[in-house]
């Protein structure tokens, strides 16, 4: 591809495609090497005529784009004709989706209970008995079914819309050439026939046919699953959704939107987000609770049948008891908590691309951070100091040579090119034609171009890159090596980055001459040291990984207080990608080395991958930050890949979280936020297990070991409460559970992890204490018929069996709702204010339970209690709520003392915010 100063154009472009047939003749319109032939890339093409047409337009005319690209007018016509470069959105039948929600495993259990109650009602009618109680049970069970399904369905829709909106904010861009002008634009506005500039790190924005130029390497893993990049030459078709990993070339857009290979197979290549560890934990908990509930219900079922209770009555009671004891609202809480968490992270300038990464961020123990742009400003300042090693050249000459080793007529590809091009007069560069160009490649760490002076006709090669790399290539190395190495080391110790410039003498094939060193300073961000100190306090070790010189890395680490044990690559092998993926001994061989280092310098992409994987194999949850295509493999391999602000498309595609604000402070803020989200999920688990323990074990114990007929011969031989009461407890419980997702929580001081044994122990401390209080109250209530009992001694009234049922209904309900407050803190429950939503849900649920217990409207043998007795139950439950809290605090203290729980400390967010504000105030001042 040739390049002169201004584009050679007289304004004649291809005639508008919609107005007339495009002529393929004319000297201006030099055809792309391959226009008619198109690789089907695994797709079928049964209709022969479609091979040469694109939506009814001949491809030979559509893709015959001149060197200067389409005109804006023609592009506008084509955008109207072919539409935006967007994938066709899959339309879901919302009613069918809603129907499917009713036939999931949990709803099916409720349907079974409804069927049993309906059958029981019909049997009562056939026997001439009053079936109204059973019909009331049926109605309330249907209400429970509708509430669970509809609330879950609505919350899931809201969560899906929220995540889609967040991802939409990451709009893709493309570099396009139109009318001889090269600029960046929204990739959705590309049209067939557009000329786009593809470069390392950039996503391929549409299906494209490569034009003349050097081969590029393309990562097609998103489409084909191939782990290694594929080399593509001129005429090959690169697919939308792929990423350029090496090289730079122009290409002609051959298909956009739903007409691309990616668009036609989107359903195959787009995976569904998994909810990760949380869903697995909830499933495991549900299996355990269902198993425990089934065993208990089976024992109760057999016992009640053995003592002569009606089969259908026993069956209905046991099915509803099982439904009430397991987390029906599991998915509702899961999606709501994580969706709200994503919103919180978005507010902190971190967009989540994979939901499970939220909890993995909360558990992250090591963060491998890129230096440039993350720890530092990535705003290189060109220094006046510019060592020159050729006497005939001056500062302006060296800067011009450095600028010639870039595509000066295009938007700069990186910060260094920006500084160099801003330091020279671009008009002087237009005296040269660039006849060949090799873009920057992280594996060879330099860029190179061949230019010809238009006035003299003389050509030369110009290269710029890492000093050690460029010096090794130069023919005058022997003369300047000592000076160069001394200067680079001196600059490195001052934290100044070096960029070597060399040129050939006489001709492009002449001897390569080392001419000078450009010096740049990329200072640490003002908040970086404070942020690293905070991360260390939060149990996250930050390790710096950079391609820079070791001396610069050591100096940066020293300034930031990270420790100066920075290793070079001499201790790490340079393994091939396929070997790294298969190797399972990296943790054994290099884990300790990586764990003990404070940073790594002069690394290649393979080294970054090796470091991350070695630490993962050691059992650490590893985060990785990066911004370039060379970071993409490590970002993808890390447990939490974090693309920093301004990252390339390749880095963003490989990352789990994309930051939209510069610097590392956003990451630490995201860590705090994710730990709060994790805490809400843990609170939900503790609460739900505690409720289940109380409910299941209470009815197990009361059915088998309590015999009301021993107190009053007119009472039944076992204690129970009707199905309707169990269902109302479940309905109100679910409402309270959902509010947990909105609670105010504190972030743990140390990284979080799922330890179900600890959760079961803490839940049992709360649930079993509540169970004990329920059994004590039941014993006292049953003895109320005895005038000499303690109940009567306290001046409390004698109760009927129906009143005792209402009394226990209120007690169990209140204990469940107070357990929410026990579960939400590791310390005393009054040490942290709950959210308005949680308090509102608590007030609504307890008010409803109290009203139902006083004015019980559903019959089934239950009778409302007095307001005075309801007040006493409230006082009793509040006293035991404090006892439950004491049991929980004591449990945590014992677990911490024996080393099972490392810390119950939380992050002081007020102090954290105050310290950040003071830091920025100092900077402004």
């Amino acid at each position: 591809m040739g390049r002169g100063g201004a584009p050679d154009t007289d304004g004649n472009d291809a005639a508008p495609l919609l107005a007339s047939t495009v002529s393929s003749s004319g000297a201006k319109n030099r055809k792309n090497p391959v226009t008619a032939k198109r690789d089907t890339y695994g797709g079928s093409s049964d209709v022969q005529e479609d091979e040469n047409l694109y939506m009814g337009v001949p491809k030979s005319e559509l893709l015959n784009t001149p060197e200067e690209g389409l005109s804006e007018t023609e592009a506008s016509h084509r955008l109207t004709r072919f539409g935006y470069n967007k994938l066709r959105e899959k339309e879901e039948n919302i009613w069918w989706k809603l129907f499917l929600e009713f036939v999931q495993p949990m709803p099916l259990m409720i349907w079974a209970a409804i069927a049993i109650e309906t059958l029981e009602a019909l049997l009562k009618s056939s026997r001439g008995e009053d079936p109204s109680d059973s019909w009331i049970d049926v109605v309330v069970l249907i209400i429970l079914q509708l509430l669970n399904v509809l609330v879950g369905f609505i919350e899931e829709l809201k969560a899906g819309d929220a995540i889609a909106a967040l991802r939409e904010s990451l709009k893709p861009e493309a570099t396009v050439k139109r009318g001889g002008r090269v600029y960046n634009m929204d990739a959705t506005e590309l049209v067939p026939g557009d000329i786009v500039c593809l470069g390392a790190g950039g996503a391929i924005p549409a299906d494209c046919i490569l034009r003349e130029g050097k081969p590029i390497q393309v990562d097609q893993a998103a489409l084909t699953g191939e782990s290694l990049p594929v080399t593509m030459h001129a005429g090959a078709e690169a697919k939308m959704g792929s990423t350029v990993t090496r090289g730079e070339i122009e290409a002609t857009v051959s298909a956009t939107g739903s007409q691309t290979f990616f668009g036609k197979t989107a359903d195959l290549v787009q995976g569904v987000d998994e909810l990760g560890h949380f869903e697995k934990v909830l499933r495991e908990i549900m299996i355990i609770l269902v198993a425990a509930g089934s065993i208990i219900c089976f024992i109760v079922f057999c016992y009640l049948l053995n003592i002569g209770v009606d089969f259908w009555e026993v069956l209905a009671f046991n099915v509803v008891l099982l439904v009430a004891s397991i987390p029906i609202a599991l998915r509702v809480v899961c999606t709501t908590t994580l969706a709200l968490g994503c919103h919180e992270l978005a507010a902190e300038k971190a967009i989540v691309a994979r939901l499970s990464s939220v909890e993995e961020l909360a558990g992250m123990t090591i963060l491998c951070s890129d230096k440039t742009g993350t720890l530092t400003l990535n705003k290189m300042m060109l220094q006046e100091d510019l060592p020159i090693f050729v006497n005939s050249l001056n500062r302006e000459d060296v800067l011009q040579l450095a600028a010639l080793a870039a595509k000066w007529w295009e938007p700069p590809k990186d910060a260094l090119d920006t500084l160099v091009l801003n330091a020279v007069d671009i008009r002087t560069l237009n005296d040269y034609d660039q006849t060949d160009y090799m873009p920057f490649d992280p594996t060879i760490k330099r860029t190179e171009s061949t230019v010809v002076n238009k006035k003299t006709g003389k050509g030369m090669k110009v290269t710029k890159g890492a000093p050690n790399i460029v010096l090794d290539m130069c023919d005058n190395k022997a003369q300047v090596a000592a000076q160069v190495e001394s200067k680079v080391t001196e600059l490195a110790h001052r934290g100044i980055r070096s960029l070597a410039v060399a040129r050939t003498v006489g001709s492009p094939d002449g001897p390569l001459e080392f001419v000078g060193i450009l010096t740049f300073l990329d200072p640490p961000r003002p908040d970086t040291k404070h942020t690293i100190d905070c991360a260390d306090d939060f149990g996250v070790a930050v390790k710096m990984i950079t391609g820079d010189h070791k001396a610069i890395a050591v100096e940066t680490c020293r300034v930031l207080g990270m420790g100066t044990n920075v290793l070079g690559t001499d201790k790490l092998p340079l393994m091939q990608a396929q070997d790294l993926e298969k190797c399972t001994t990296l943790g054994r061989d290099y884990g300790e080395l990586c764990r003990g280092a404070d940073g790594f310098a002069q690394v290649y992409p393979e080294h970054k991958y090796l470091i991350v994987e070695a630490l993962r194999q050691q059992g650490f949850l590893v985060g990785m930050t990066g911004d370039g295509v060379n970071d993409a493999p490590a970002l993808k391999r890390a447990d939490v890949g974090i693309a920093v602000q301004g990252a390339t498309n390749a880095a963003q595609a490989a990352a789990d979280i994309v930051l939209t604000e510069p610097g590392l402070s956003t990451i630490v803020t995201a860590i705090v936020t994710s730990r709060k989200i994790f805490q809400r999920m843990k609170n939900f688990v503790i609460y739900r297990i505690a409720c289940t323990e109380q409910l299941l074990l209470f009815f197990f114990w009361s059915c088998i070991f309590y015999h009301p007929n021993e107190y009053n011969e007119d009472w039944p031989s076992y204690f129970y409460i009707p199905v309707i009461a169990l269902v109302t407890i479940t309905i109100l419980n679910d409402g309270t559970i959902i509010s947990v997702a909105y609670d105010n929580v504190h972030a743990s001081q140390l990284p979080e992890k799922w330890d179900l044994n600890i959760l079961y122990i803490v839940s049992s401390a709360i649930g079993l204490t509540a169970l004990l209080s329920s059994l004590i109250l039941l014993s006292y209530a049953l003895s109320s018929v005895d005038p000499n009992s303690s109940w009567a001694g306290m001046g409390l009234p004698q109760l009927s069996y129906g009143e005792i049922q209402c009394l226990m209904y209120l007690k169990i309900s209140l204990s469940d709702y107070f357990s929410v407050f026990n579960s939400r803190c590791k310390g005393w429950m009054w040490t942290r204010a709950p959210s308005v939503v949680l308090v509102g849900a608590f007030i609504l649920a307890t008010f409803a339970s109290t009203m139902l217990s006083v004015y019980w409207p559903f019959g089934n043998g239950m009778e409302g209690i007095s307001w005075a007795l309801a007040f006493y139950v409230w006082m009793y439950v509040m006293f035991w709520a404090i006892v439950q809290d004491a049991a929980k605090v004591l449990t945590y203290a014992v677990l911490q003392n024996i080393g099972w729980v490392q810390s119950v400390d939380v992050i002081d967010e007020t102090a954290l915010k105050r310290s950040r504000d003071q830091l920025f105030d100092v900077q402004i001042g």
Side-chain angles (χ1 to χ4, degrees), residues 336-640:
T336 303
T337 302
L338 290 176
L340 288 171
C342 290
H343 269 296
E344 287 186 45
L345 286 170
E348 301 296 345
K349 311 300 181 186
I351 296 177
V352 176
R354 182 172 59 88
L355 283 180
S356 60
S357 62
V358 173
E359 56 171 308
E360 287 161 2
L361 182 62
M364 183 174 68
T365 50
I366 293 178
L367 176 63
C368 298
S369 176
D370 182 41
K371 179 178 75 70
T372 306
T374 305
L375 300 177
T376 62
L377 287 170
N378 196 23
K379 290 184 179 177
M380 287 289 181
M381 292 180 281
L382 187 62
Q383 306 296 291
E384 285 299 318
D385 185 14
L386 198 162
I388 300 171
F389 301 90
V390 176
N391 294 330
S392 60
L393 300 178
N394 58 30
R395 175 184 171 84
E396 287 69 28
D397 294 331
V398 176
L399 285 173
Q400 185 185 61
L401 289 170
L404 288 172
K407 288 190 173 182
W408 62 88
W409 63 93
E410 292 184 1
K413 294 292 190 296
D414 56 41
L416 294 181
D417 274 353
T418 301
L419 286 173
V420 171
L421 294 175
N422 287 339
V424 299
D425 185 350
I426 296 293
R427 291 173 298 179
T428 63
L429 304 179
N430 290 333
D431 291 338
Y432 291 86
D433 265 330
Q434 191 178 85
T435 59
D436 195 12
Y437 179 69
M438 182 182 72
F440 180 81
D441 186 332
T443 61
I444 61 174
K445 298 189 177 183
R446 67 184 182 91
T447 183
E448 181 181 282
S449 69
T450 303
V451 295
V452 177
N453 190 308
K454 293 180 180 178
K455 296 177 181 178
T456 64
K458 291 184 178 180
M460 65 176 170
K461 280 185 179 177
V462 186
T463 186
K464 69 176 187 286
N468 58 319
I469 300 293
V470 174
L471 182 62
D472 286 340
M473 297 170 56
C474 290
D475 292 280
N476 64 338
K477 176 181 178 180
Q479 292 79 19
V480 300
Q483 299 175 61
V484 170
E485 290 168 358
S486 173
K487 189 64 180 178
V488 168
T489 303
E490 176 204 332
L491 293 168
H493 282 303
R494 291 161 50 198
I496 296 176
R497 187 172 176 180
S498 305
L499 191 70
V501 181
R503 66 166 185 190
T504 58
V505 179
S507 70
D509 298 322
L512 189 64
E513 184 177 50
F514 195 101
V515 298
I517 298 176
L518 305 184
T519 58
F520 303 88
L521 180 64
D522 181 16
R525 293 181 179 277
D527 63 335
T528 297
K529 187 178 188 310
H530 171 263
T531 302
I532 291 173
D533 291 342
C534 289
D536 188 58
D537 291 340
F538 301 161
V540 180
V542 181
K543 298 183 184 295
M544 184 177 72
I545 302 180
T546 179
D548 261 354
H549 197 281
K550 183 177 177 179
I552 293 179
V554 170
E555 176 65 13
T556 305
C557 282
R558 186 192 64 78
V559 170
L560 296 175
M562 295 174 64
T564 55
N565 181 24
V566 178
L567 304 179
T569 56
D570 53 317
K571 301 289 180 70
L572 300 173
L574 188 60
M575 301 172 66
Q576 295 299 317
Q578 58 268 39
D579 296 329
L580 282 170
E581 289 179 358
K582 297 174 183 176
C583 189
T584 58
T585 60
L586 295 176
R588 183 197 66 193
D589 298 337
Y590 307 104
E592 284 300 315
L593 180 73
C594 295
R595 189 176 67 83
D598 299 311
F600 296 87
Q602 294 175 291
V603 298
Y604 290 101
E606 292 83 357
H607 292 130
K608 294 183 180 183
Y609 186 104
L610 185 150
I611 293 165
V612 168
E613 180 59 15
L615 291 170
R616 289 183 74 249
Q617 290 183 15
Q618 283 265 304
F620 296 101
L621 263 177
V622 182
M624 174 72 196
T625 72
D627 60 353
V629 65
N630 57 321
D631 299 315
L635 287 171
K636 186 175 288 188
R637 192 57 188 154
D639 295 292
V640 187

